[in-house]
Amino acid sequence: MGLREYVIRRLLQLVVTFWAFFTLLFVLFRLVPGDPTSMFILDGMTPEQREQRIAELGLDQPLHVQYVEYISQLLTGDFGQSFIYREPVIDIIIVRFMNTIVLMGTALFFAYLIGLTFGALMGWWRGSKFERGGIVVTLAARSSPEFWVGIVLLSVFVFWLGWFPSGGMRTTGGELGGGFLARYGSTDFLRHLFLPALTGAIVFMATPTLLMRNTMLDVLNADFIEIKKAEGLPERTVLYRHAARNSVLPIVTVMAIATGAAMGGSVVIETVFNWPGMGREMVRAVNSNDYPVAMAAFFLMGSVVIIMNFLADLAYVYLDPRVEYE
Amino acid sequence: MSLLEITDLKTYYRASDGWVRATDGVSLSVDRGETVGLVGESGSGKTTLAKSIIRLFPKNAEIVDGSINYDGTEITELTDRQLRKQIRWSEISMIPQNAMNGFDPVYTVGSQIVEVIRYHEDDTSKKEARKRARELFNELGIDPDRIDDYPHQFSGGMAQRAMIALALCLSPNIILADEPTTALDVVIQDRILETIKEKQREIDSAMIMITHDMSVVSETCDRIAVVYGGRVVEIADAETIMMSPRHPYTLGLRNAFPDISDEDKDLISIPGTPPDLVDPDEGCRFAPRCPFATEECWEVTPEAEDYGDGHMVECHRADEIEYLQEEAAKKETWMEQEIGRPDETPPEVTSDD
Ligand code: SF4
């Protein structure tokens, strides 16, 4: 089977996975124990209002009709109205989602860039002071709570040095609107982004670093590494082109899952830095029974995980010629 | 002067409990076009010896003493960069034991051959390098189009041929062949060995064949060095080693492999395991396993003695050749309980004996 067939088949699988995920969400939100309608009914409604509301939401329909209705709404991106904001859910959630993607994407990018490089070097210089020191630093970063890292960075860079703003996404009064670049490319925004992204990077870095070091140690024992050295190739070439290139393979999947999970946003980082992202929004929605928003948030997060897994599989096939297209 | 002249070489590994003397005072020379076999069990130090020639060992290993003179260049004194640029692969290349694992799995075989050619030859274009790789494949009996295949798409025998192509691509003067056929089945083994020999003659390079298999060296080598406990305990031309060796270890090794001329011969293995090379004591290192060990063997390390025609033997009793050969051929001689230092394990007095 060729690459093209493989991709097509994976795409079909993707559709099936999404369908299963939609259904699961439906089941979770409609068939929870107790009266499902109670979630949608606010206190202090008269019985007539209740009836009307239930009819409005289509909850008086048979389950299969509700299901079909639900799927078609998801596919058109219609998540209904937020109970709290009285605005379409999609408008609320999309902005938060983009904010999170930018923050977490930046954090993950640097976490993996630095983590993979350091992990590779730690494996390469096994037994050196660099490796031992690196492990200590990595473990320290791994065991530091996010809020603590955030607060330390805040006190040093904001309250002491005064280099960065203390929170939020942009200085009040800074013009909003315009395209993506105008929103997320301005110096003001980048200054706001720096500390929360750094916090995320520090927290996320441990996994790729330690994993990379471990797989490096395995790969460095492989015969071909010795041959590459015997060939007289420079250390740099053997390290990056051969050892690290092979070591990165098992990390691709981990990276995809981590990315998926991170897109849910980090409540802690968003709270410490007052970042208007998905994590905080989700907690708020759940706490205030803003069911449509919570559901949309779950939907987006789950979708990202599924898509990242799909991309990881494609990347793996691209990176490792040994993978059979099965 | 020989192409390669190793003198009193000592390569030690740092271990938690001291120095592992993997190569401990070895002298060996290799002439142009000559094939020298290094035979010994695994753990005898034969591989360390061979890899020391291109200083290919882990970071905890070190050449602590001795000299390796390659064609006038003292290898032990080169910087890493000089070693990589001037010696490795362009002058001395190697064929590893398991070719399947000798190629990086994520690149095509051809691109790996091209990589090494282009690193060593600044003026060679990618196109020329590819052309050379195709030619080599063709000469070695592989379809040239397969240079664009990945290593896992090759069979074991084909991967070994591709590895030979890689080893030959810079026409080296010495090829280190580390058990080049053990991973293959017997039918293919012979063909691969023939191919190696043929190509070696063609480019007139010397070869050091590392193996535990007496039958392999007897077919392919001009001279054979028997390695035990980090030392060359016996060296002579192939015929002498096969027909009239003087060292008990050589006799033992010979017993362990089938003899083509004598099909009914019993295979006898040497009891025990190679010695621990961490700070070994005085005395012959083979003594704990040697059926002929005497008190002297345990106390005094034997010196190499010359028995003519470059036949060097490190054994106190090497002059008793007839007795040794006769006894060594008997199975009883190599019984486990018969050997070991007498005063260390005092014989138990049993009533019915
Ligand atoms: S020196 Fe002694 S112990 Fe060593 S091989 Fe010769 S006879 Fe055996």
Side-chain angles (χ1 to χ4, degrees):
Chain A
M1 191 160 83
L3 182 61
R4 179 206 294 258
E5 284 89 342
Y6 174 77
V7 174
I8 290 172
R9 242 191 31 195
R10 269 314 265 110
L11 272 170
L12 289 177
Q13 273 176 24
L14 187 72
V15 173
V16 175
T17 314
F18 261 110
W19 171 75
F21 171 57
F22 289 170
T23 309
L24 190 72
L25 267 187
F26 179 79
V27 171
L28 278 179
F29 276 87
R30 309 272 161 135
L31 301 183
V32 282
D35 180 6
T37 56
S38 64
M39 277 199 304
F40 306 93
I41 307 302
L42 304 176
D43 289 337
M45 279 181 169
T46 65
E48 293 77 48
Q49 279 174 316
R50 285 182 65 128
E51 288 304 314
Q52 196 200 343
R53 185 105 179 92
I54 285 172
E56 229 177 71
L57 291 166
L59 289 174
D60 53 350
Q61 302 287 321
L63 213 52
H64 66 271
V65 178
Q66 288 187 35
Y67 178 71
V68 172
E69 180 69 1
Y70 155 86
I71 296 277
S72 67
Q73 282 179 349
L74 279 192
L75 292 180
T76 51
D78 174 9
F79 297 96
Q81 292 262 325
S82 160
F83 293 165
I84 307 294
Y85 298 108
R86 305 266 167 216
E87 274 177 54
V89 169
I90 191 80
D91 294 348
I92 302 166
I93 214 77
I94 276 296
V95 176
R96 307 276 197 287
F97 188 57
M98 288 311 293
N99 293 344
T100 289
I101 286 190
V102 171
L103 171 60
M104 289 300 166
T106 313
L108 282 168
F109 176 77
F110 285 104
Y112 276 83
L113 185 73
I114 297 168
L116 293 182
T117 314
F118 268 93
L121 290 173
M122 271 157 67
W124 185 256
W125 288 316
R126 171 172 210 181
S128 64
K129 285 205 182 69
F130 175 84
E131 191 211 8
R132 263 168 286 165
I135 289 180
V136 171
V137 171
T138 313
L139 287 179
R142 183 179 200 147
S143 34
S144 313
E146 281 171 282
F147 77 88
W148 184 80
V149 175
I151 287 171
V152 168
L153 291 179
L154 267 180
S155 23
V156 173
F157 288 102
V158 178
F159 303 126
W160 185 36
L161 295 170
W163 288 357
F164 295 100
S166 67
M169 258 178 52
R170 39 182 68 81
T171 314
T172 24
E175 75 278 27
L176 242 174
F180 181 85
L181 252 187
R183 282 175 82 101
Y184 297 113
S186 72
T187 332
D188 180 51
F189 174 78
L190 293 180
R191 272 165 47 88
H192 281 81
L193 175 66
F194 186 84
L195 286 181
L198 181 62
T199 308
I202 290 174
V203 174
F204 294 140
M205 210 164 68
T207 307
T209 311
L210 296 177
L211 258 178
M212 186 67 178
R213 172 186 162 271
N214 286 351
T215 51
M216 271 295 273
L217 292 183
D218 280 349
V219 170
L220 287 175
N221 277 331
D223 292 352
F224 70 85
I225 294 295
E226 187 175 51
I227 294 295
K228 297 300 164 200
K229 288 180 180 169
E231 283 173 9
L233 301 179
E235 285 221 337
R236 225 176 331 109
T237 312
V238 182
L239 168 57
Y240 291 112
R241 221 178 109 77
H242 297 288
R245 172 69 172 72
N246 274 275
S247 306
V248 97
L249 295 175
I251 297 175
V252 173
T253 316
V254 176
M255 187 154 73
I257 294 168
T259 310
M263 288 312 151
S266 155
V267 186
V268 177
I269 295 180
E270 287 170 12
T271 307
V272 171
F273 291 96
N274 196 23
W275 190 268
M278 284 271 284
R280 265 167 71 203
E281 188 54 36
M282 201 149 63
V283 171
R284 190 206 55 76
V286 170
N287 279 342
S288 55
N289 276 335
D290 197 346
Y291 149 79
V293 174
M295 161 129 161
F298 280 124
F299 167 77
L300 281 179
M301 275 173 57
S303 304
V304 172
V305 173
I306 293 173
I307 290 171
M308 286 312 295
N309 265 314
F310 170 71
L311 293 180
D313 281 359
L314 293 193
Y316 206 97
V317 170
Y318 173 74
L319 288 172
D320 190 346
R322 284 164 300 181
V323 171
E324 297 281 329
Y325 304 128
E326 281 176 39
Chain B
M1 170 123 190
S2 302
L3 176 64
L4 180 75
E5 193 82 54
I6 301 173
T7 320
D8 200 26
L9 182 72
K10 294 181 176 163
T11 306
Y12 293 179
Y13 290 82
R14 241 164 297 140
S16 50
D17 49 348
W19 288 97
V20 180
R21 306 191 180 195
T23 298
D24 199 12
V26 167
S27 298
L28 182 72
S29 67
V30 179
D31 286 329
R32 262 171 215 286
E34 187 188 27
T35 303
V36 176
L38 296 182
V39 219
E41 296 157 292
S42 53
S44 59
K46 59 188 191 300
T47 304
T48 304
L49 169 57
K51 288 180 180 168
S52 293
I53 299 167
I54 48 172
R55 293 186 4 211
L56 188 69
F57 33 59
K59 280 169 205 132
N60 63 343
E62 207 179 300
I63 294 177
V64 294
D65 200 10
S67 131
I68 303 168
N69 193 299
Y70 168 80
D71 205 13
T73 309
E74 180 54 46
I75 288 190
T76 54
E77 282 165 9
L78 292 178
T79 64
D80 284 349
R81 204 189 127 75
Q82 289 169 327
L83 180 73
R84 285 194 286 101
K85 264 283 182 194
Q86 298 165 20
I87 302 293
R88 287 190 181 174
W89 224 258
S90 53
E91 298 296 326
I92 306 176
S93 72
M94 65 185 263
I95 303 172
Q97 188 169 138
N98 191 338
M100 249 1 206
N101 303 334
F103 286 106
D104 185 334
V106 304
Y107 299 109
T108 62
V109 170
S111 73
Q112 297 183 56
I113 298 177
V114 170
E115 182 184 27
V116 67
I117 294 177
R118 298 205 55 202
Y119 174 70
H120 286 282
E121 298 174 9
D122 296 334
D123 307 330
T124 307
S125 73
K126 193 170 169 190
K127 216 171 141 202
E128 288 162 347
R130 269 182 70 87
K131 194 163 155 254
R132 195 187 306 169
R134 289 180 66 96
E135 282 164 12
L136 277 166
F137 264 42
N138 197 19
E139 287 165 25
L140 288 163
I142 320 172
D143 176 1
D145 289 338
R146 299 209 59 169
I147 62 166
D148 293 320
D149 279 358
Y150 288 96
H152 72 277
Q153 294 168 300
F154 280 47
S155 70
M158 211 188 291
Q160 196 56 271
R161 285 171 192 276
M163 206 72 227
I164 297 168
L166 181 70
L168 296 175
C169 68
L170 301 173
S171 304
N173 277 327
I174 301 180
I175 301 166
L176 308 175
D178 185 2
E179 310 253 11
T181 56
T182 32
L184 305 172
D185 62 66
V186 192
V187 188
I188 304 175
Q189 273 189 12
D190 280 349
R191 286 219 300 271
I192 296 281
L193 279 180
E194 257 167 52
T195 312
I196 295 178
K197 286 297 287 183
E198 206 175 281
K199 299 307 292 180
Q200 179 205 1
R201 266 192 299 270
E202 234 175 84
I203 63 170
D204 192 28
S205 80
M207 179 155 68
I208 295 179
M209 172 80 76
I210 309 154
T211 178
H212 67 282
D213 189 335
M214 271 291 195
S215 46
V216 168
V217 276
S218 67
E219 285 165 32
T220 48
C221 297
D222 304 314
R223 277 191 308 139
I224 298 175
V226 180
V227 185
Y228 188 80
R231 297 184 62 87
V232 171
V233 293
E234 180 164 19
I235 182 168
D237 56 85
E239 199 187 314
T240 308
I241 292 288
M242 296 315 293
M243 304 316 289
S244 54
R246 285 171 181 267
H247 197 284
Y249 181 60
T250 315
L251 288 161
L253 274 185
R254 220 177 43 152
N255 282 338
F257 283 92
D259 190 335
I260 315 151
S261 57
D262 182 1
E263 304 226 326
D264 309 323
K265 199 192 82 171
D266 278 341
L267 299 187
I268 315 168
S269 56
I270 310 171
T273 47
D276 180 9
L277 296 175
V278 180
D279 304 318
D281 293 330
E282 275 294 299
C284 173
R285 286 181 191 167
F286 190 53
R289 302 169 71 190
C290 179
F292 311 110
T294 61
E295 201 51 37
E296 187 193 17
C297 303
W298 288 92
E299 304 295 342
V300 187
T301 310
E303 297 279 331
E305 264 179 73
D306 195 340
Y307 288 85
D309 283 338
H311 186 181
M312 308 287 285
V313 187
E314 288 187 354
C315 171
H316 294 305
R317 302 183 68 179
D319 45 0
E320 304 169 49
I321 173 166
E322 261 119 56
Y323 169 73
L324 293 183
Q325 283 180 359
E326 194 177 312
E327 286 298 306
K330 299 180 190 155
K331 202 164 191 166
E332 311 82 72
T333 310
W334 299 93
M335 300 297 254
E336 194 119 21
Q337 55 274 25
E338 307 281 332
I339 55 179
R341 189 168 193 173
D343 55 1
E344 266 182 352
T345 48
E348 266 173 54
V349 185
T350 45
S351 50
D352 43 84
D353 201 297

